[in-house]
Amino acid sequence: MNLFDFFRERKKQTPASIAKERLQIIVAHERGHRNEPDYLPALQKELVEVIRKYVNIDQDQVQVALEDQGSCSILELNITLPDR
Amino acid sequence: MAKILVVTSGKGGVGKTTTSAAIGTGLALRGHKTAIVDFDVGLRNLDLIMGCERRVVYDFINVINGDATLTQALIKDKRLENLYVLAASQTRDKDALNIEGVEKVINELKENFEYVICDSPAGIEKGAHLAMYFADEAIVVTNPEVSSVRDSDRMLGLLASKSRRAENGEEPIKEHLLLTRYNPERVTKGEMLGVEDVEEILSIRLLGVIPESQAVLKASNQGIPVILDEQSDAGQAYSDAVDRLLGKEIAHRFLDVKKPGFLQRLFGGRE
């Protein structure tokens, strides 16, 4: 192993660091959906269908989130329209 | 007031029953009257790990159905004065459990014991749900491995939303992380998730780290809770975890690779 390899080796991810990164992403994603009501995916799908009547968008360009604010919840819609 | 503790994980084979047996025995060793209850109806194994499999006459379901009293069904440990086991039924399935029945048994146990340990089955179905439903504290058993960590996180979500405490808006279940089958050598090599990694992902209080140990198989083969093997690393690690559960501040051990001593390096051989 030469000096160059030594530095390259140190930069390389270990299996454990890959595991940690993957877990952080999936766990954060699943926690986000934990307290959501069951109807959210269906709502998102229907919203996409309605918007598509006017603008051509993809499924993942509509983000639906329900935020709990103590006494009430806020339904937040985030729709990204394509460039004109 | 009796404390209800659930030992849970989501994933199977991570060491729930080993942990239930060890923690329950450890509490009894310290003078607390403890009952360990097997919720794994249809696949009971706590009796084997505790070494009382040939003394099971009545089980949890018999008590729920009124075929036997709790006193008849509780198996007294041969080694320790304060320790009892309530076996699960082997011939029935999880549907034999119901919330009213479990509540009745738990309430009766609360009157007679200081600690009730609920050994949860794997999964998130009825058995696992009822095992954690009445809990005051939870020990989430996790292996340093992706599927186990993810399942533990899912379990934490359920503890926070589907338990009696959550449904009644009471103080939430106190959660403890117990990392088992830990191999410091592989962590050092970057092959295994380290304690800090798992703590960071799950962000709950660390109760203990149990090293991967040959003592665990040796103990289960003989029906002796591993905590009674005081010479073993796993036994000592469980012992520390019990002390921490009781509020003692103890430094974590067995997290680093053991460096062989000079003579050991010279002559080889095991310690």
Side-chain angles (χ1 to χ4, degrees):
Chain A
M1 187 165 76
N2 61 33
L3 203 63
F4 183 68
D5 280 341
F6 176 73
F7 283 112
R8 202 168 51 183
E9 198 71 23
R10 288 191 59 161
K11 259 192 174 171
K12 222 174 80 181
Q13 283 188 308
T14 64
S17 68
I18 296 169
K20 185 182 179 185
E21 214 179 291
R22 292 175 61 218
L23 273 168
Q24 279 173 324
I25 293 167
I26 191 69
V27 161
H29 178 79
E30 285 174 350
R31 277 183 193 160
H33 291 279
R34 200 175 272 172
N35 298 317
E36 279 181 356
D38 303 336
Y39 61 75
L40 275 195
L43 175 71
Q44 176 166 4
K45 197 168 154 262
E46 279 183 51
L47 279 170
V48 172
E49 280 163 20
V50 172
I51 296 162
R52 266 199 195 141
K53 286 185 186 169
Y54 308 94
V55 193
N56 192 22
I57 54 161
D58 281 336
Q59 179 83 33
D60 56 3
Q61 282 172 302
V62 174
Q63 266 145 25
V64 183
L66 201 63
E67 228 179 282
D68 199 24
Q69 301 258 321
S71 58
C72 65
S73 300
I74 295 173
L75 182 68
E76 198 178 295
L77 294 181
N78 203 332
I79 303 161
T80 316
L81 295 179
D83 291 337
R84 266 176 291 177
Chain B
M1 188 64 182
K3 238 180 212 165
I4 313 291
L5 260 155
V6 62
V7 177
T8 188
S9 69
K11 191 177 181 299
V14 296
K16 283 183 296 297
T17 303
T18 302
T19 298
S20 300
I23 300 277
T25 305
L27 287 167
L29 269 174
R30 284 155 183 77
H32 300 286
K33 199 175 174 197
T34 303
I36 317 175
V37 184
D38 193 348
F39 275 76
D40 206 345
V41 179
L43 291 167
R44 79 166 174 227
N45 274 317
L46 179 68
D47 52 338
L48 265 183
I49 302 300
M50 291 296 295
C52 62
E53 70 278 8
R54 292 178 50 171
R55 295 197 289 134
V56 180
V57 182
Y58 294 112
D59 57 53
F60 197 3
I61 303 298
N62 290 141
V63 181
I64 287 180
N65 293 343
D67 304 331
T69 65
L70 185 58
T71 321
Q72 287 175 308
L74 281 170
I75 306 162
K76 191 178 179 308
D77 188 83
K78 287 234 159 123
R79 297 155 292 226
L80 293 170
E81 192 59 37
N82 291 319
L83 187 58
Y84 291 80
V85 170
L86 181 57
S89 170
Q90 186 67 331
T91 51
R92 307 289 293 272
D93 59 37
K94 308 269 188 296
D95 293 327
L97 288 171
N98 58 67
I99 199 154
E100 297 81 17
V102 172
E103 184 171 26
K104 193 190 80 182
V105 176
I106 294 267
N107 284 341
E108 206 178 330
L109 285 167
K110 267 169 113 171
E111 285 169 25
N112 299 300
F113 290 92
E114 286 176 72
Y115 286 93
V116 179
I117 314 278
C118 303
D119 181 19
S120 172
I124 53 171
E125 275 72 50
K126 201 170 186 182
H129 176 247
L130 289 175
M132 61 95 154
Y133 190 75
F134 298 99
D136 301 308
E137 297 190 25
I139 297 176
V140 180
V141 183
T142 308
N143 289 170
E145 176 264 327
V146 285
S147 48
S148 174
V149 175
R150 181 199 208 172
D151 289 0
S152 291
D153 190 68
R154 176 98 171 91
M155 212 61 229
L156 288 171
L158 294 174
L159 285 168
S161 63
K162 297 276 193 283
S163 63
R164 180 169 66 176
R165 279 173 174 269
E167 286 176 4
N168 293 351
E170 294 167 30
E171 196 185 320
I173 294 176
K174 197 170 166 193
E175 300 154 337
H176 308 272
L177 169 65
L178 190 77
L179 201 56
T180 57
R181 309 197 72 161
Y182 194 72
N183 186 331
E185 272 163 44
R186 302 199 71 183
V187 174
T188 310
K189 284 185 198 157
E191 293 175 359
M192 183 182 267
L193 288 164
V195 198
E196 299 85 6
D197 298 332
V198 182
E199 271 187 285
E200 193 184 324
I201 295 162
L202 296 178
S203 54
I204 55 170
R205 214 174 65 98
L206 182 68
L207 180 68
V209 179
I210 313 298
E212 169 94 83
S213 167
Q214 303 191 348
V216 175
L217 179 63
K218 249 173 28 193
S220 73
N221 282 338
Q222 303 172 83
I224 303 169
V226 71
I227 199 167
L228 293 177
D229 183 354
E230 290 162 8
Q231 303 302 312
S232 70
D233 46 0
Q236 291 171 16
Y238 270 119
S239 199
D240 287 359
V242 173
D243 284 333
R244 281 187 209 106
L245 198 64
L246 294 171
K248 279 194 196 164
E249 297 273 339
I250 297 174
H252 290 276
R253 293 192 274 173
F254 315 109
L255 300 185
D256 301 313
V257 182
K258 253 186 275 168
K259 287 200 188 90
F262 173 70
L263 284 175
Q264 235 178 307
R265 259 190 295 176
L266 210 59
F267 299 110
R270 307 169 62 207
E271 61 158 11

